[in-house]
Amino acid sequence: MSSRRRTALVTALLLVTATASVPLMPYVQPEIVRIALRAGGQQIAYSWGGGHGSEPGPSKGTCAGYRGSILPCPAERTRGLDCSGFARWVYAQAHGQDVLGPGTTNDQVRRMRRVVSAVPGDLVFFGRTTAKGLDTHHVGIYLGDGKMINAPETGAFVRVDPISRLKDFAGFYRL
């Protein structure tokens, strides 16, 4: 075998090996935005602790940990999603499986990586940095142009808001 042919063969093997070890995650950011906007048009209610069942999607909420201004707590009689439940549901629809998993915004942010340049479909988190890491309290889906779609608070529906609506921006994150 000639030296040139051997070099070509080794190069081809290296390329196949390198690309075979890279996870093939489909580019779903545009699909995430499309699904989120469609969901926002359906007037889905905010429900504290909604969407944290074994499967993603709207559910009745829970009053455990509720600190909202509407009393008595309306979560147990409201079918809907809270902010992390909304992000989980949209991502599950776009990916075809539950990629964010159950839990709070803190659970979600730990499964992701921070990015400097956001693209529509990335998650935008709000909170503060502590000695133990990032302590978050809200998440939205970035739409671009300084806007996000989110389940904002008790008594509201899923809606588009400027990111600047909340003052404690913690960063953009991606799977």
Side-chain angles (χ1 to χ4, degrees):
M1 181 182 288
S2 72
S3 173
R4 180 185 283 178
R5 189 169 178 163
R6 189 175 305 122
T7 302
L9 183 60
V10 168
T11 302
L13 279 170
L14 284 172
L15 285 173
V16 167
T17 303
T19 57
S21 65
V22 175
L24 297 175
M25 177 67 86
Y27 181 68
V28 297
Q29 289 344 63
E31 182 71 2
I32 290 168
V33 171
R34 187 184 65 71
I35 291 167
L37 289 172
R38 187 178 67 224
Q42 295 175 16
Q43 295 293 291
I44 297 172
Y46 177 96
S47 180
W48 171 261
H52 292 285
S54 60
E55 298 294 320
S59 68
K60 293 237 173 146
T62 175
C63 288
Y66 175 78
R67 292 184 209 61
S69 60
I70 298 174
L71 298 173
C73 167
E76 291 175 340
R77 64 182 183 273
T78 304
R79 183 170 172 80
L81 298 161
D82 64 3
C83 63
S84 59
F86 177 66
R88 178 185 180 201
W89 182 51
V90 169
Y91 265 60
Q93 288 186 26
H95 285 271
Q97 63 181 341
D98 186 7
V99 294
L100 293 182
T104 66
T105 55
N106 281 334
D107 298 316
Q108 288 177 344
V109 78
R110 281 193 286 274
R111 295 180 187 110
M112 305 187 87
R113 62 184 166 83
R114 188 176 179 146
V115 294
V116 176
S117 298
V119 297
D122 287 343
L123 294 183
V124 55
F125 285 90
F126 298 86
R128 62 188 176 87
T129 302
T130 68
K132 293 183 178 182
L134 190 58
D135 182 21
T136 61
H137 64 85
H138 189 67
V139 62
I141 299 171
Y142 184 60
L143 298 175
D145 199 28
K147 293 184 171 62
M148 66 178 168
I149 188 165
N150 65 134
E153 69 259 335
T154 302
F157 293 102
V158 169
R159 68 179 187 219
V160 175
D161 284 319
I163 290 172
S164 61
R165 179 181 163 272
L166 297 171
K167 303 301 178 211
D168 53 353
F169 170 78
F172 295 107
Y173 287 77
R174 184 178 305 152
L175 282 175

